[in-house]
Amino acid sequence: MKVMLSTTVNGEQVQEAVLPRTSLADFLREDLGLTGTHLGCEMGACGACLVLMDGVPVHACLVLAVQAEGSTVETIEGLNETGAAADLQARFHDRNALQCGFCTNGMLMSAQALLEANPAPTRDEIRDALSGNYCRCTGYEAIVDAIDTTARDRAARTEAAK
């Protein structure tokens, strides 16, 4: 028996009937067609499924869709549409931090949440924020560089605007 879910996804109000055991990741991918939320380990270990729920990164594979009732969910598609992470994406490209790309969406969600909560993180804080993201291609240094550079660029733009 399905239950009604009312939530906001990428700024749009969504009302859908879902099975109570449907994960948020499956709901986003299968019901809403938001395939930027990847499914990797489906155990909350790899971070490929990370989305922001009320501004906090969550593993969409571990959250039931019904738990998003009344919440605001933002996916990588939402970040793309608003341009909120365009500079971060550009730094990932510049530093060749994209690698195979499977984990990149989750990395970007973690990085965006970190930079919103802490605009000037240390490299250790960046590494800590990425500890829930697993990259099978290795090469975390380029990812940390991209996030660090983005933080510095944003700080410089904020300072210049004063």
Side-chain angles (χ1 to χ4, degrees), residues 83-92 112 146 150 153-154 157:
D87 57 347
L88 188 57
Q89 292 169 311
R91 294 301 157 259
F92 267 62
Q112 182 67 12
T150 301
D153 290 349
R154 287 181 181 181
R157 283 196 304 272

Side-chain angles (χ1 to χ4, degrees), residues 38-108:
H38 292 165
L39 287 171
C41 67
E42 297 189 56
M43 298 184 303
C46 74
C49 66
L50 281 176
V51 298
L52 302 180
M53 193 160 89
D54 297 326
V56 177
V58 297
H59 291 93
C61 70
L62 298 181
V63 175
L64 296 173
V66 294
Q67 291 176 291
E69 174 71 28
S71 294
T72 298
V73 176
E74 190 162 19
T75 69
I76 191 67
E77 289 90 346
L79 289 184
N80 285 338
E81 290 172 10
T82 63
D87 57 347
L88 188 57
Q89 292 169 311
R91 294 301 157 259
F92 267 62
H93 182 267
D94 294 345
R95 285 292 297 130
N96 198 25
L98 300 170
Q99 303 178 42
C100 82
F102 189 79
C103 69
T104 302
N105 295 347
M107 295 276 187
L108 288 168

Side-chain angles (χ1 to χ4, degrees), residues 114-123 125-126 148 151-152 154-155:
L114 170 66
L115 295 178
E116 286 184 14
N118 179 2
T122 65
R123 293 180 72 82
E125 289 170 327
I126 294 170
D148 187 41
R152 291 179 201 209
R154 287 181 181 181

Side-chain angles (χ1 to χ4, degrees), residues 97 123 126-127 130 139-149:
R123 293 180 72 82
I126 294 170
R127 287 186 188 96
L130 295 176
Y140 289 89
E141 206 57 30
I143 295 167
V144 172
D145 288 346
I147 297 168
D148 187 41
T149 302

